[in-house]
Amino acid sequence: MKEYKIINKLTLKVQATIFLFIILFLSSLQIKATTSHDVRFTPKLQKAYFEIQKLRIEPARALIEEERKADPENAFITYLDNYADLHYLLISEDKTAFKEWSKKEDSRLLDLTKLSNSSPYKRFFQAEIRMHWAFIKMKFGNEVSASWDIIKAYNLLQDNRKKFPAFNPSLKTLGLLHVLIGSVPDNYTWVTKILGLKGNIKLGIEEIQFVEREEPFFKQEAQLIDLLLHAYTLQLSDAQRTLIQQLPKSQPDNLLLHFFATTILMKEGRSEDALYYLNYAPNGDDYLPFPFLDYLRGEIALQKGKYDIAFFFYSKFQQKYKGVNFIKDSNLKLFMSRWLADRDADAIPYIKLAGSKGSTIVEGDKFAQRLSEEYADGKLLPDQKVLYKARYSTDGGYLTEAWDFIDNYTEKSFSTPGDKAELNYRKGRILQKMNQIDRAIPYYDRAIFLTQGTSFTFGPSAALQMGYITRDKKNNTLAISYFKKAMSYKKHEYKNSIDNKAKAALTELGE
């Protein structure tokens, strides 16, 4: 069982932010008309499928029910039932529904056994449903069961590929798994080998892009998976950044694509561009309630230093949200919205709530828990406010404001080694984003030096960025040493995600 917990942490929980976005597109199937007796992709079911993709879940369910009455033996109805549940559970995080609906996984898998063994959709649908439930279970903290589903899905897809080598949709999902498994750090690959899971980042990307080129019906889904993997594990190209912005404009009624564009642009440090897609996201009674959009509005306001507006949207998020994640994180952000505005007394209740309410499944909640504990121990100091202001502004791409916050500060301005290291990392990151690479390098190297033998995240973060910088300068030998340095740090809060990115970069460099 220990081995499965390790696999889960490195290929499931670590990838939680990636899976949140990938699963929403993972099984977006534009299936060709088929002569199979048991799989009929009718016009009404096709419309339901696209309605689900737009997060118009109830209209989709109505269409599915109409088709069920006319053709109850159509196996694609089983798939769409699961697809709709997937979107609802991941967005709503409805714990009651999760408990009630979990038993549907086995019944739907059993229903799919009625498909002929000569149909490539039999194992494909079974694998997809297992993937759906793996990500749902992970969302709710049921990690061991999720691990088993991933393993079984992988084996089903491998078997389907052998039996039906011309059935290209298998490559789409296998490619995803090959990339994610291939990004597991070297010291844990023995576990994947024992379980028979073979990863290969280069192969996985090639498989996905093959589907994108050769299967027009699956082109958009393959594009989305490719974009997500590059955004969260590899790096986006300029062409991919352009595509991210084109997709929601081409489908203005698709809420999911607007969410996708918003979050990726925010991750890329382009919050002002992201705000456009957030503001133009469709809404109405037919769409699934999506309070997380208010959380994102709060994030952008916090990055811009508009603390009262940030407080309003984080509060609105908490009022509407019934999920299990981002409770600690949003309470921390409510604290920051007051604390950074020098309203310390008003801020205190929220940092306490960050430590007492919510789960610690996602990294943001783990960070909030740690910061609450640091506050209780007297380690969250007033002179750190400027570092947080610079951090949030940098995250949003408001670089001039970020630099103005810390330009006149030196290491002597701070009393702890961690704060000194963070100051150097923040300066390096701002300058790097401003494309002042040579000015950034000394700050990154200083952050690495100051964090030797510590668990501060600023050292490995700086080493990762230096790996990218030296790789882009075509100094691959030095880049490899920096990526390995990034992976050498122990037990810091972003170890899994940094290690995965460093491993992916090393693989691309032939290591």
Side-chain angles (χ1 to χ4, degrees):
M1 188 61 67
K2 181 178 179 182
E3 288 85 353
Y4 297 125
K5 289 183 178 179
I6 294 173
I7 277 291
N8 172 70
K9 290 180 180 178
L10 291 169
T11 63
L12 294 174
K13 192 171 181 180
V14 168
Q15 306 288 352
T17 305
I18 298 174
F19 281 135
L20 172 63
F21 304 119
I22 292 176
I23 189 58
L24 298 178
F25 299 95
L26 184 64
S27 305
S28 309
L29 304 177
Q30 300 182 24
I31 294 181
K32 301 175 183 179
T34 174
T35 58
S36 169
H37 178 68
D38 295 318
V39 179
R40 289 172 289 278
F41 195 57
T42 65
K44 193 170 287 186
L45 290 180
Q46 184 175 5
K47 184 177 180 182
Y49 155 72
F50 285 115
E51 290 290 270
I52 294 170
Q53 281 195 328
K54 296 175 182 178
L55 299 185
R56 292 164 53 90
I57 305 299
E58 290 311 310
R61 290 194 193 278
L63 291 167
I64 294 169
E65 287 306 312
E66 291 177 15
E67 196 70 10
R68 194 190 316 274
K69 293 176 182 178
D71 187 14
E73 298 302 316
N74 188 347
F76 204 74
I77 292 174
T78 301
Y79 173 83
L80 287 178
D81 283 338
N82 210 75
Y83 194 50
D85 289 353
L86 163 74
H87 286 73
Y88 175 81
L89 289 171
L90 287 182
I91 298 298
S92 71
E93 296 191 15
D94 185 333
K95 290 184 286 187
T96 301
F98 170 67
K99 291 178 182 178
E100 292 178 354
W101 296 357
S102 292
K103 57 188 177 184
K104 294 182 179 182
E105 179 184 8
D106 288 339
S107 64
R108 287 169 180 163
L109 290 169
L110 181 62
D111 186 57
L112 289 172
T113 62
K114 299 174 185 178
L115 277 171
S116 168
N117 286 330
S118 64
S119 171
Y121 291 112
K122 181 175 183 177
R123 292 172 184 80
F124 182 68
F125 284 171
Q126 289 174 331
E128 295 289 274
I129 285 177
R130 286 199 178 276
M131 291 288 284
H132 292 175
W133 281 101
F135 298 139
I136 293 168
K137 291 171 185 176
M138 180 177 56
K139 183 83 169 182
F140 287 89
N142 193 347
E143 299 162 357
V144 173
S145 182
S147 299
W148 277 110
D149 273 326
I150 289 289
I151 294 167
K152 290 176 181 178
Y154 177 88
N155 290 331
L156 281 165
L157 291 167
Q158 287 280 71
D159 190 33
N160 209 42
R161 185 62 181 160
K162 292 177 183 177
K163 287 180 168 61
F164 305 100
F167 186 70
N168 292 328
S170 295
L171 284 177
K172 168 184 58 63
T173 310
L174 261 181
L176 166 64
L177 289 172
H178 284 153
V179 173
L180 296 179
I181 296 167
S183 64
V184 173
D186 287 337
N187 55 326
Y188 290 104
T189 54
W190 62 274
V191 181
T192 63
K193 290 178 180 178
I194 288 175
L195 297 175
L197 305 176
K198 297 180 181 180
N200 186 316
I201 293 172
K202 185 175 182 293
L203 174 62
I205 293 296
E206 288 175 352
E207 288 170 334
I208 294 165
Q209 292 180 347
F210 175 82
V211 175
E212 184 177 343
R213 291 192 310 272
E214 302 298 329
E215 290 289 328
F217 287 100
F218 298 103
K219 179 177 181 179
Q220 178 169 290
E221 183 188 0
Q223 283 178 330
L224 292 171
I225 294 174
D226 193 22
L227 287 171
L228 289 163
L229 289 172
H230 279 85
Y232 287 91
T233 302
L234 306 171
Q235 284 189 310
L236 289 167
S237 67
D238 290 339
Q240 288 173 321
R241 292 186 180 94
T242 299
L243 180 60
I244 286 168
Q245 297 179 82
Q246 290 175 341
L247 289 173
K249 291 180 179 179
S250 68
Q251 299 183 44
D253 64 340
N254 192 316
L255 176 56
L256 195 58
L257 287 181
H258 282 76
F259 171 68
F260 176 84
T262 298
T263 50
I264 295 298
L265 287 168
M266 289 179 68
K267 182 189 177 297
E268 289 284 296
R270 298 172 59 186
S271 288
E272 203 64 24
D273 292 333
L275 193 58
Y276 169 87
Y277 296 96
L278 192 55
N279 288 338
Y280 282 92
N283 60 76
D285 293 340
D286 284 341
Y287 289 92
L288 187 66
F290 207 162
F292 196 73
L293 299 180
D294 286 321
Y295 172 90
L296 296 177
R297 290 184 176 95
E299 292 283 273
I300 295 174
L302 183 65
Q303 293 167 354
K304 298 174 77 168
K306 296 183 177 181
Y307 300 122
D308 286 341
I309 295 176
F311 187 89
F312 170 80
F313 280 116
Y314 288 128
S315 299
K316 189 177 179 182
F317 163 72
Q318 287 196 346
Q319 290 166 9
K320 295 181 179 180
Y321 181 66
K322 306 301 180 184
V324 298
N325 297 304
F326 296 98
I327 302 300
K328 291 180 179 295
D329 179 85
S330 58
N331 276 311
L332 174 63
K333 299 300 175 52
L334 286 167
F335 165 80
M336 288 292 178
S337 298
R338 291 294 186 242
W339 190 59
L340 297 181
D342 294 324
R343 297 172 60 177
D344 293 24
D346 294 336
I348 291 173
Y350 298 104
I351 194 68
K352 292 181 178 179
L353 285 172
S356 62
K357 287 191 174 184
S359 65
T360 53
I361 297 172
V362 300
E363 285 187 341
D365 287 332
K366 291 179 180 180
F367 177 74
Q369 178 67 37
R370 181 175 68 79
L371 211 61
S372 178
E373 293 169 358
E374 289 185 4
Y375 174 83
D377 292 339
K379 296 179 181 178
L380 189 60
L381 307 175
D383 59 7
Q384 294 174 335
K385 289 183 181 182
V386 68
L387 295 175
Y388 281 102
K389 289 180 179 180
R391 171 183 179 171
Y392 292 132
S393 293
T394 304
D395 288 345
Y398 304 106
L399 303 178
T400 300
E401 294 83 351
W403 185 255
D404 288 343
F405 281 131
I406 59 174
D407 184 18
N408 294 324
Y409 286 82
T410 67
E411 289 183 26
K412 293 180 180 179
S413 304
F414 301 93
S415 58
T416 68
D419 291 345
K420 295 176 189 292
E422 181 173 1
L423 175 68
N424 282 283
Y425 174 75
R426 297 292 169 211
K427 286 190 172 183
R429 193 74 178 116
I430 295 167
L431 291 168
Q432 182 188 15
K433 285 176 172 284
M434 287 179 165
N435 204 32
Q436 299 183 36
I437 305 301
D438 290 339
R439 287 184 64 194
I441 290 173
Y443 289 112
Y444 278 146
D445 281 336
R446 179 64 176 166
I448 294 169
F449 175 79
L450 290 171
T451 54
Q452 297 292 331
T454 75
S455 60
F456 298 129
T457 191
F458 311 111
S461 295
L464 179 68
Q465 295 304 322
M466 282 298 296
Y468 291 141
I469 287 172
T470 50
R471 180 199 62 186
D472 292 344
K473 287 177 173 286
K474 309 301 181 185
N475 190 340
N476 289 350
T477 300
L478 188 56
I480 289 169
S481 69
Y482 274 118
F483 287 130
K484 289 183 176 179
K485 181 69 175 178
M487 296 172 67
S488 71
Y489 285 80
K490 309 296 183 184
K491 296 181 179 180
H492 58 88
E493 63 185 301
Y494 295 119
K495 180 168 179 60
N496 289 330
S497 59
I498 288 176
D499 281 8
N500 279 312
K501 291 176 183 178
K503 174 64 184 299
L506 286 169
T507 300
E508 288 187 318
L509 291 171
E511 284 292 301

